Amino acid sequence: MKICIAGGGYNAAYVVSLFKDSKDHLVIINGDLDVCKYIAKATNLPVEHNNPTKVYAFDEAGVKDFDLIVALCDKDADNYV
């Protein structure tokens, strides 16, 4: 399965870790450069620095035919909603 995880601030590292050990193909997009570096270091996966609220970010990441896109907010409470 091809999965894109977009946004989410520092808590996105946890969501990425849930999928990391699977055989799924992951693409991670985050708009905050410091968060990108943190997620990349925490998960040992590449993270694309781009604005996940813009369509062009998904075009540039090549996720058009992906099976799942997980859109996260910076605040945990918003993600739960």
Side-chain angles (χ1 to χ4, degrees), residues 3-76:
I3 301 169
C4 174
I5 299 172
Y10 290 97
N11 60 14
Y14 172 73
V15 176
V16 171
S17 72
L18 295 175
F19 292 103
K20 183 179 184 257
D21 293 330
S22 67
K23 295 179 182 178
D24 299 318
H25 174 70
L26 294 177
V27 171
I28 306 157
I29 305 170
N30 200 290
D32 184 316
L33 185 57
D34 291 331
V35 173
C36 289
K37 291 176 184 177
Y38 171 80
I39 294 171
K41 186 175 181 179
T43 63
N44 200 29
L45 293 170
V47 180
E48 296 195 29
H49 179 232
N50 213 329
N51 185 345
T53 64
K54 304 296 182 188
V55 173
Y56 66 79
F58 293 95
D59 291 339
E60 291 175 7
V63 298
K64 181 179 179 181
D65 63 343
F66 272 38
D67 302 301
L68 176 66
I69 296 180
V70 180
L72 300 171
C73 298
D74 291 340
K75 297 178 182 175
D76 284 333

